[in-house]
Amino acid sequence: MHRTEDVLATLSMIRQYKLDVRTVTMGIDLQPCAAPDLSTLCARIRERLVHYSGRLRAVCREVEGRYGIPIVNRRIAVSPIGWVAAGQRTEGLLAIARTLDAVAAEVGVDLVGGFSALVQKGWTEAGRRLIAALPEVLSTTERVCASVNVGTTAAGINMDAILALGHVLKETAERTRDHDGFGCAKLVIFANAPSDNPFMAGAFHGPGEPDCVINIGVSGPGVVKAAVEDLVTHSPTGPTLGEIAEEIKSTAFRVTRVGELIGREVAARLGVSFGIVDLSLAPTPQVGDSVGEILQAMGVVRIGAPGSTAALALLNDAVRKGDLVQSWVTKTGASDLF
Amino acid sequence: MPKYIISVTAADRVGIVYSVTGALLDLGGNILELSQTVMRGYFTIILEVEFPVTHSARQLADTILDRGKRFDLQVLVTEVRNEILEPAVPSGERFILTVLGDDAPGIIHGIAGCLAAHGVNIVDLHARLDAARFALVMEAMIPQDLTPETIRSELERFGRDHKIEAYVQHENIFLATTEPGPVRVGPAVRTQGDALASH
């Protein structure tokens, strides 16, 4: 018999504190699709995406129903199109972007990432063409996300690419001015991009990954804040920093395990590999789902007051230590504080 | 060997388990399974016990009562007959059903009725009242041919009329969040998860 307190504690994470699976992202290797002929290339991309992701929507709904936890977004990350479409001219790159956009709509994912190029040490003709095509791609497709890696610690920074991307951003903003320049929100310009990244808008399916993989992002701010508040409320003399860190670790463990369970189950039902869990502290517009409020629950009077940086360091460290699976723990929420 | 289900209830006192198990031991009994709880000051224990020889239910009850006469026990003895277990209750996957809301007479009865109508077998149930707030946690076997959504929508319909919230979740989510062991997905899932052919 499960302890009633354990059941109610897990249920309250979902019910009251907004724990959800923010995204199930399927990574798909598109390099086998490469072909010199554009129509063949687009047809292969479409077939391969549908082959792997055709059941993603249905399976996510099944798993959502089985565990009673919302899966908010479904997404796809593909191999950097700069590699897959090397040799294609602008019209070819646009056709590929439209193919990605159409398949994303067909299989029910809200974003498809990987219209990407890695140009940190210098750029190929393919990379240059892809960057040049970005304003058109980002302003005429709905779901395609793009990224460009322009620098690494080892290779330095490609300043020519940064100049080109400055123009790309301005042109994209201009072309999407009727939508608050939203085209730019679908473009990530990286330095030190990881070899594989399942997180939008800069998602791409990198080398060393299997043909197809399921990655998970889970949301945590509301749950972590509630746990800290509960600890503070029930501690007559106020908790020590060590006790706060332990509470956050324990909460991070439970949140990450929910993500792992959902990821393993979706992957098993689809017959593909399971990759990683990302425990994100990124806020959502919902009240109570804010990383800043976690710091305030820890005792920081307001964000920016003395102790803010220490509290944030404690939070990030404890979340990483509580995350026991092969996960990434991003600090995306923290960036909103600065 | 003959087996019996024995339940004993009394006002809670120190020494009842010692007394009951002593009586069973005197008759050569071996306890196969035991569950005990104390509710509002009343002790209840239920045991499955096997004996090397057959005893009448009366004889077993009298031995327990005699040994524990200072506790004013109430004893019920039922012989286990395998044939009455057929047809077996439907199997399925274990889900946790949680019901929260204002207390009112008939909630458990109504929920049990929804479940029975769909062939859902309740295998464990705990309910309590904190102030006027009712909380029920139930383990139930949902048959393979029934989706959790079906049960969830039934309970939600019942809940709307009685101001309660009902949740239906596979038990693995509670195992994942409360146990340090590896995350498990059920056997029913693994059979569906044959590797997708490479494309």
Side-chain angles (χ1 to χ4, degrees), chain A residues 178-192:
Chain A
D178 294 339
H179 301 92
D180 296 327
F182 188 71
C184 295
K186 296 185 288 178
L187 170 63
V188 172
I189 301 169
F190 282 113
N192 284 328

Side-chain angles (χ1 to χ4, degrees), chain B:
Chain B
M1 285 195 282
K3 293 175 187 165
Y4 301 83
I5 300 295
I6 300 171
S7 63
V8 180
T9 304
D12 191 28
R13 297 287 181 273
V14 174
I16 298 178
V17 175
Y18 176 70
S19 167
V20 171
T21 54
L24 299 174
L25 187 62
D26 288 346
L27 295 170
N30 182 35
I31 297 167
L32 303 178
E33 193 170 346
L34 183 156
S35 175
Q36 183 239 295
T37 191
V38 175
M39 184 183 293
R40 310 269 172 187
Y42 279 86
F43 166 100
T44 299
I45 189 169
I46 181 166
L47 314 97
E48 183 188 10
V49 189
E50 70 175 4
F51 293 89
V53 295
T54 301
H55 298 281
S56 70
R58 182 79 239 168
Q59 184 188 5
L60 289 172
D62 285 347
T63 306
I64 295 167
L65 286 167
D66 186 54
R67 179 92 177 227
K69 54 181 171 249
R70 71 189 172 99
F71 297 118
D72 192 20
L73 305 175
Q74 295 179 59
V75 180
L76 182 65
V77 178
T78 306
E79 185 174 0
V80 175
R81 299 203 314 271
N82 287 331
E83 64 271 21
I84 69 163
L85 297 178
E86 298 296 337
V89 290
S91 63
E93 284 200 87
R94 191 178 293 250
F95 280 75
I96 307 297
L97 280 61
T98 312
V99 178
L100 305 169
D102 296 339
D103 186 36
I107 292 177
I108 297 177
H109 176 68
I111 289 168
C114 291
L115 300 179
H118 285 89
V120 175
N121 187 35
I122 300 168
V123 292
D124 216 332
L125 192 158
H126 181 77
R128 69 183 186 197
L129 204 56
D130 292 326
R133 190 82 177 154
F134 174 78
L136 176 151
V137 175
M138 174 192 296
E139 293 182 29
M141 305 301 282
I142 296 186
Q144 298 286 4
D145 58 353
L146 203 60
T147 65
E149 284 82 1
T150 308
I151 299 301
R152 187 176 293 124
S153 60
E154 275 285 306
L155 294 183
E156 282 173 355
R157 193 167 53 80
F158 178 81
R160 275 193 295 276
D161 300 336
H162 295 79
K163 294 181 180 168
I164 57 172
E165 301 165 44
Y167 302 89
V168 181
Q169 295 165 287
H170 194 278
E171 71 161 347
N172 281 351
I173 195 165
F174 300 103
L175 295 173
T177 52
T178 57
E179 290 187 0
V183 166
R184 287 176 257 184
V185 293
V189 175
R190 279 199 293 273
T191 55
Q192 295 173 23
D194 295 335
L196 187 62
S198 281
H199 182 270

